[in-house]
Amino acid sequence: MALRLLDQLNLPEDLKLLSSEEAYKVAAELRDELITTVSKTGGHLGPNLGVVELTLALHMELDSPKDKLIWDVSHQSYVHKLLTGRLKQFHTLRQFNGISGFVRRDESEHDIFGAGHSSTSISAALGMAIARDHAGEDYLVVAVIGDGSMGGGMAFEALNNAGQMKRDLIVVLNDNEMSISANVGALSSYLGRLRTDPTILRIRSELELALKRIPAIGPHVAKTADKFKEALKHLVVPGMLFEELGFTYIGPIDGHNIAAIRRGIQDAKARGGPVLLHVVTKKGKGYEPAEDNPEKFHGTGPFEIETGKPVRKTRGQTYTSVFGRAVVDCASKDEKIVAICAAMPDGTGLDYFKERFPERFFDVGIAEQHAVTMAAGLAASGYRPVVAIYSTFLQRAYDQILHD
């Protein structure tokens, strides 16, 4: 059996030496490794297949662990683990005494910040950027956050603060239109407009080129030109949300084009200050069953590679399915019952309710705090809200449970 290119590299240092053709060969080998291993151990397959090229490009441009690479949630960090000294141990993923399914600071010096839930990466990255500046050190700080996690309140708090502080910081927005289930909310719609409107980048780039050709005829004209460009930018891109928060916005970029991502990172480094790099990826990329059913393969048990079917089927009813059907039964007798979840209708069993009573079902996205207090508002108004959230994620809303 021919030795893989992946096995011949001193990782992550040798990634910088790869040609474009070799980089894509490594990407294909990484996907094979992910599918082969997760088919046996289970795990978060879809999110990791979607960030293969992005992770490669990041490690080709960064100098980890000197540069700080922070993964939001971190269930999409398998490729990062493969590229940072854990290739030979990867078969132990999620096994006793094996590799963790999330980043762990005690597992590797490349795992900069531990995470198991969403929306923390920008806050942590800003803290590290402040520490760097206070210590007079010189390194990059990069946070990778998904579009689902970006909808969490903590991410907005961090964006707001980081934009005001003007520290050198790169936020990579991995936009795959999914969290666990399909994303909801105004931010998702906003990113959709950025993602699908081909005129945005063309008009912006053409405008900047035209302005550069204006002869230098005094600071007043230059200032007027900048104001004109800014005004037109607001017309072309509704709201310019991230730039209004103090970030330089770059994108959207094809998240499976390694060269394009590398250019985006280089541009972000050259600009300085807080920069948001918008990268569009496909969840489950490269494995047809995962591309066709990204929710099922977000987190999966062992499965047959050829078909994508689970190796072991659950026998009988699960607690989740019994709960979901019971809520539907109660709601059919009481019109005041409504159901709320935080981006997980299938995982919580509320998919039954969503199908039967769509007008009484509310998915608020990854926003547990908001879900609980919104439910309190409904209860105070005479309704009977049922809020279904995993116990580990409900930690985010302890204060709201106690207070509201």
Side-chain angles (χ1 to χ4, degrees):
M1 183 177 178
L3 194 65
R4 299 179 301 183
L5 178 56
L6 191 59
D7 296 309
Q8 303 174 52
L9 299 175
N10 179 31
L11 297 170
E13 293 84 357
D14 286 357
L15 294 174
K16 295 176 171 56
L17 307 177
L18 296 178
S19 67
S20 176
E21 182 179 354
E22 289 171 333
Y24 283 105
K25 179 175 173 54
V26 169
E29 292 174 351
L30 287 166
R31 281 200 168 86
D32 286 342
E33 181 69 31
L34 287 170
I35 295 167
T36 300
T37 299
V38 178
S39 72
K40 299 172 184 175
T41 65
H44 290 94
L45 182 62
N48 286 282
L49 290 172
V51 298
V52 170
E53 290 83 5
L54 172 58
T55 309
L56 267 171
L58 284 165
H59 277 291
M60 292 171 87
E61 290 299 322
L62 303 184
D63 182 17
S64 179
K66 178 188 175 185
D67 293 329
K68 312 305 179 188
L69 181 56
I70 303 156
W71 298 92
D72 205 276
V73 185
S74 82
H75 62 224
Q76 79 287 52
S77 64
Y78 295 1
V79 185
H80 164 77
K81 289 172 181 278
L82 287 166
L83 296 177
T84 53
R86 286 162 278 186
L87 176 61
K88 292 182 179 179
Q89 294 80 38
F90 193 66
H91 68 280
T92 68
L93 178 72
R94 301 171 75 243
Q95 308 302 300
F96 181 65
N97 286 331
I99 298 297
S100 172
F102 299 85
V103 291
R104 288 181 60 104
R105 296 181 70 201
D106 60 358
E107 185 177 288
S108 169
E109 63 179 349
H110 297 277
D111 289 4
I112 302 300
F113 192 78
H117 195 12
S118 73
S119 312
T120 63
S121 60
I122 305 174
S123 297
L126 180 57
M128 292 181 187
I130 294 170
R132 173 200 62 203
D133 296 346
H134 275 248
E137 297 178 335
D138 181 24
Y139 54 81
L140 287 169
V141 180
V142 180
V144 182
I145 184 169
D147 49 323
S149 297
M150 189 68 90
M154 189 174 176
F156 276 97
E157 293 173 19
L159 284 171
N160 182 55
N161 193 204
Q164 182 267 330
M165 295 190 75
K166 301 298 182 186
R167 308 275 179 173
D168 288 349
L169 169 69
I170 299 173
V171 175
V172 178
L173 172 56
N174 173 33
D175 179 6
N176 61 20
E177 304 180 61
M178 299 283 293
S179 45
I180 295 175
S181 302
N183 285 327
V184 297
L187 179 64
S188 177
S189 299
Y190 172 79
L191 292 175
R193 293 199 299 275
L194 292 179
R195 192 188 307 119
T196 58
D197 189 346
T199 65
I200 291 173
L201 290 180
R202 178 177 58 80
I203 293 177
R204 286 184 62 178
S205 59
E206 289 176 358
L207 176 60
E208 289 178 9
L209 182 62
L211 290 172
K212 288 177 181 176
R213 290 174 177 166
I214 297 175
I217 54 176
H220 178 71
V221 173
K223 193 172 183 179
T224 302
D226 285 339
K227 287 183 178 179
F228 173 71
K229 183 178 77 169
E230 195 67 26
L232 185 56
K233 188 163 60 176
H234 279 274
L235 289 174
V236 174
V237 183
M240 283 307 297
L241 173 64
F242 302 113
E243 298 216 7
E244 288 296 332
L245 286 170
F247 278 73
T248 299
Y249 172 85
I250 300 174
I253 293 171
D254 179 358
H256 301 293
N257 184 323
I258 295 173
I261 302 168
R262 293 185 69 182
R263 286 194 299 271
I265 298 167
Q266 292 164 8
D267 190 8
K269 289 192 289 186
R271 292 184 185 228
V275 179
L276 186 131
L277 182 64
H278 182 184
V279 177
V280 179
T281 62
K282 184 174 182 60
K283 198 169 187 177
K285 175 76 172 177
Y287 181 53
E288 189 173 345
E291 289 189 19
D292 293 342
N293 197 338
E295 290 186 35
K296 175 184 174 184
F297 281 92
H298 173 83
T300 179
F303 60 92
E304 298 173 353
I305 294 176
E306 295 77 14
T307 64
K309 293 180 179 179
V311 172
R312 296 185 299 271
K313 292 186 177 180
T314 303
R315 295 182 178 179
Q317 295 189 73
T318 64
Y319 178 90
T320 300
S321 65
V322 171
F323 162 76
R325 291 189 173 95
V327 176
V328 168
D329 183 58
C330 292
S332 65
K333 303 168 186 173
D334 185 350
E335 294 182 354
K336 292 289 187 179
I337 292 177
V338 299
I340 301 170
C341 78
M344 299 183 68
D346 293 348
T348 59
L350 289 181
D351 49 337
Y352 302 109
F353 194 102
K354 177 182 178 181
E355 183 178 348
R356 179 74 179 276
F357 304 108
E359 74 287 351
R360 290 156 60 185
F361 170 78
F362 305 97
D363 183 349
V364 302
I366 305 177
E368 292 82 8
Q369 296 161 312
H370 164 60
V372 169
T373 301
M374 187 180 87
L378 280 158
S381 302
Y383 282 80
R384 304 181 70 184
V386 175
V387 186
I389 298 172
Y390 282 14
S391 58
T392 48
F393 296 161
L394 194 61
Q395 295 175 61
R396 282 282 170 86
Y398 277 1
D399 182 52
Q400 285 69 29
I401 293 169
L402 292 169
H403 182 272
D404 300 332

